[in-house]
Amino acid sequence: MVYRCCRTPGNCIRLLIRFSCRRQYVLSQQANQSAMDTFFISHGSPTLSIDESIPARHFLKSWQAKILATKPRGIVIISGHWETAEPTVNVVDRNDTIYDFYGFPKPMYQLKYPAPGSPELSKEVVQLLTRGGFKKVKEDKRRGLDHGAWVPLMLMYPEADIPVVQLSIQTNRNGTHHYNMGKALAPLRDQGILIIGSGSATHNLRMIGHDDGPLVPWALAFDTWLKEALVDGRHEDVNQYDVKAPAAKLAHPRPDHFYPLHVALGAAGAKAKAELIHHSWSFGSLSYASYRFTTAQ
């Protein structure tokens, strides 16, 4: 039957090879077209979970309608609230809700975000990081989601029906380390996995003012520099923000809430296009600036 269409076995083999190559090309193009963007979300105060007056809360609640209509197959989230000496991935069937904050209103401690885990996705994260040159990658088979993960996700995906895996940061390392973590995780985007860095564009809790107070110059200077560096594609400057950016030590006395941005940026690639998708302020110095990173085609 096949030979009748191809006339000779040789022609048939050539046609099959051409068809196979063409199919692989089409599948490759489809994968590239459907690759997930990556995101950095400034999650700000834990009261984001209940306070309707925070503009960023409404931004996150409109996520599926205005930012990302495509439902991801899974989520890998990097939060500024999980610090370890080595990259660590949680490997659980169901994520517990961790209340890693103190002295807040009681209703916040009654919120739950029981998103499923995905041991398979967790294992893939470990494998990708290992192949990417990270010699020690650990697994945590008990940890759930801290508030840097579950608070924004609760607003973005309230159904809690998408598998979520959390990856830790290493405050004993630098921005380039975390950027390279993102680079290693980039293949996940072609599988419909959403990579989110959750931190804060500025984060100095010792210098916050009144919620209706004026914007302080050092916070504005750093926030403006960050936007310009990202939009201009100056990834190396962002990696070396501690020496390149104005007021870097004031904006981030510790790097914990900034390193998630580096992971999300690295996962989008060297030519990623940055887009500011939300911008608001609290307490005069806490920026809720959030970004989308799209890989250039």
Side-chain angles (χ1 to χ4, degrees), residues 4-60:
R4 220 174 289 146
C5 296
C6 300
R7 293 181 180 273
T8 68
N11 286 339
C12 183
I13 291 172
R14 282 191 289 272
L15 285 171
L16 286 172
I17 291 173
R18 287 174 61 187
F19 173 78
S20 176
C21 291
R22 176 60 183 170
R23 182 173 181 274
Q24 289 176 12
Y25 172 78
V26 170
L27 290 175
S28 175
Q29 290 298 100
Q30 289 174 344
N32 288 334
Q33 290 171 3
S34 63
M36 281 283 176
D37 291 342
T38 67
F39 295 86
F40 171 71
I41 302 299
S42 288
H43 64 251
S45 168
T47 54
L48 182 71
S49 61
I50 61 169
D51 189 347
E52 292 289 344
S53 71
I54 300 176
R57 175 179 170 87
H58 300 283
F59 154 66
L60 291 171

Side-chain angles (χ1 to χ4, degrees), residues 16-216:
L16 286 172
I17 291 173
R18 287 174 61 187
F19 173 78
S20 176
C21 291
R22 176 60 183 170
R23 182 173 181 274
Q24 289 176 12
Y25 172 78
V26 170
L27 290 175
S28 175
Q29 290 298 100
Q30 289 174 344
N32 288 334
Q33 290 171 3
S34 63
M36 281 283 176
D37 291 342
T38 67
F39 295 86
F40 171 71
I41 302 299
S42 288
H43 64 251
S45 168
T47 54
L48 182 71
S49 61
I50 61 169
D51 189 347
E52 292 289 344
S53 71
I54 300 176
R57 175 179 170 87
H58 300 283
F59 154 66
L60 291 171
K61 288 179 73 173
S62 70
W63 183 266
Q64 296 182 65
K66 296 183 178 180
I67 304 298
L68 189 65
T70 302
K71 187 174 182 178
R73 289 182 51 248
I75 297 171
V76 174
I77 190 163
I78 303 90
S79 164
H81 291 277
W82 189 17
E83 303 176 32
T84 59
E86 304 292 345
T88 306
V89 184
N90 76 330
V91 185
V92 297
D93 292 316
R94 178 71 56 177
N95 283 292
D96 291 330
T97 305
I98 302 174
Y99 305 101
D100 53 332
F101 44 77
Y102 309 95
F104 286 90
K106 185 177 179 180
M108 292 172 57
Y109 300 92
Q110 298 171 341
L111 297 170
K112 300 286 185 183
Y113 192 73
S118 173
E120 296 80 9
L121 178 56
S122 297
K123 297 287 186 182
E124 186 163 7
V125 170
V126 171
Q127 291 171 1
L128 287 171
L129 289 172
T130 302
R131 290 182 205 144
F134 295 87
K135 297 180 180 179
K136 294 182 180 179
V137 183
K138 298 183 178 181
E139 299 179 7
D140 189 321
K141 298 185 178 181
R142 298 180 61 184
R143 185 183 174 89
L145 303 176
D146 58 57
H147 82 269
W150 68 260
V151 168
L153 289 177
M154 178 188 70
L155 302 173
M156 298 158 69
Y157 298 104
E159 301 85 0
D161 59 352
I162 301 173
V164 180
V165 169
Q166 187 166 346
L167 172 63
S168 69
I169 57 167
Q170 290 73 63
T171 51
N172 60 330
R173 304 301 295 271
N174 60 18
T176 300
H177 167 88
H178 292 84
Y179 185 84
N180 288 337
M181 285 173 62
K183 286 174 62 177
L185 298 178
L188 294 175
R189 296 169 48 249
D190 292 328
Q191 302 174 30
I193 304 300
L194 176 59
I195 299 174
I196 302 173
S198 176
S200 208
T202 59
H203 193 259
N204 188 336
L205 299 184
R206 293 185 177 182
M207 298 187 71
I208 60 175
H210 298 291
D211 198 20
D212 57 352
L215 186 58
V216 298

Side-chain angles (χ1 to χ4, degrees), residues 40 224-235 238 258 261 265 272-275 291 293:
F40 171 71
T224 301
W225 174 88
L226 176 61
K227 177 184 176 182
E228 293 174 350
L230 288 173
V231 170
D232 291 345
R234 293 187 278 119
H235 294 195
V238 177
F258 202 49
L261 181 145
L265 183 61
K273 178 181 178 182
E275 176 189 0
Y291 293 89
F293 304 117

